[in-house]
Amino acid sequence: MPTRILLEGRPGVGKTTVVRRLAALLLNRRAVGFTTEEIRQGGTRTGFALETLDSGLRGVLAGVDLPGPPRVGRYGVDLDVMERLALPPLRSADPARGELVLIDELGRMELACTAFQDVVRCLFTSELDIVATVHAKSDPFTDALKRRADIELVQVNRANRDALPEDLAARFDRP
């Protein structure tokens, strides 16, 4: 049975860092998926970038200068970045190759892409092992995932965030 872990935590607690370190620690498995990070200019957050794990492709997912729609808060979201960068590696993930799917994150900006929601639903019914990050805030899509019997919900906090990547790598990185 595949392992499905949701890393839940408040913004800024280190969920993205856990996913990046986990991907870097894997020796026997290929990680596919993406991470996101803040874009800052002069100390002010102006948007979010998305970067693929397998190829390092990068794009601006959301920004104060992007028109949208959709808009999430003060950010316009570029759904094309989800379509071009995030979705292809997720769609081609294959349990026969032993790939580990890493998704950072299942957040409002990413979930504004209906095709992404569809792909995530399919992934969570596949034979792939998955680690995804989610906000602690309530959201209909992520709340439904959190209620699934096959989900392990792991709280990320300042006390455990440094040890989590190694703990997860030990679980997933079997020869």
Side-chain angles (χ1 to χ4, degrees):
M1 179 171 195
T3 302
R4 299 182 176 121
I5 297 174
L6 294 179
L7 300 174
E8 181 184 62
R10 298 174 53 96
V13 76
K15 299 181 301 290
T16 298
T17 302
V18 169
V19 170
R20 285 189 176 147
R21 287 185 183 158
L22 169 58
L25 289 169
L26 295 173
L27 300 174
N28 299 303
R29 290 187 83 173
R30 180 173 175 249
V32 297
F34 66 90
T35 61
T36 57
E37 71 179 354
E38 292 182 353
I39 299 170
R40 292 191 164 270
Q41 292 178 341
T44 302
R45 185 171 64 197
T46 60
F48 294 87
L50 181 145
E51 184 174 345
T52 61
L53 290 169
D54 55 334
S55 61
L57 296 174
R58 188 175 169 90
V60 176
L61 172 62
V64 293
D65 296 330
L66 292 177
R71 292 197 68 80
V72 174
R74 63 190 196 110
Y75 305 103
V77 179
D78 185 349
L79 296 180
D80 186 56
V81 168
M82 291 299 296
E83 294 278 350
R84 283 185 304 104
L85 299 181
L87 294 183
L90 297 177
R91 285 182 174 135
S92 66
D94 186 350
R97 292 191 299 256
E99 294 169 331
L100 173 62
V101 174
L102 301 178
I103 300 172
D104 173 52
E105 72 187 87
L106 298 172
R108 288 178 53 210
M109 292 176 192
E110 296 83 2
L111 293 171
C113 178
T114 306
F116 176 63
Q117 290 184 35
D118 295 341
V119 167
V120 169
R121 281 187 196 97
C122 287
L123 287 170
F124 276 85
T125 60
S126 74
E127 292 301 311
L128 288 155
D129 291 331
I130 303 168
V131 176
T133 65
V134 294
H135 278 289
K137 283 175 108 173
S138 182
D139 173 86
F141 187 89
T142 57
D143 289 350
L145 287 176
K146 291 175 190 179
R147 286 190 298 269
R148 290 175 53 130
D150 62 344
I151 294 293
E152 180 181 343
L153 189 62
V154 176
Q155 300 298 320
V156 179
N157 54 54
R158 296 193 193 294
N160 69 0
R161 68 181 180 192
D162 293 332
L164 267 175
E166 291 82 9
D167 294 346
L168 292 169
R171 287 178 67 177
F172 288 111
D173 202 25
R174 295 175 229 113

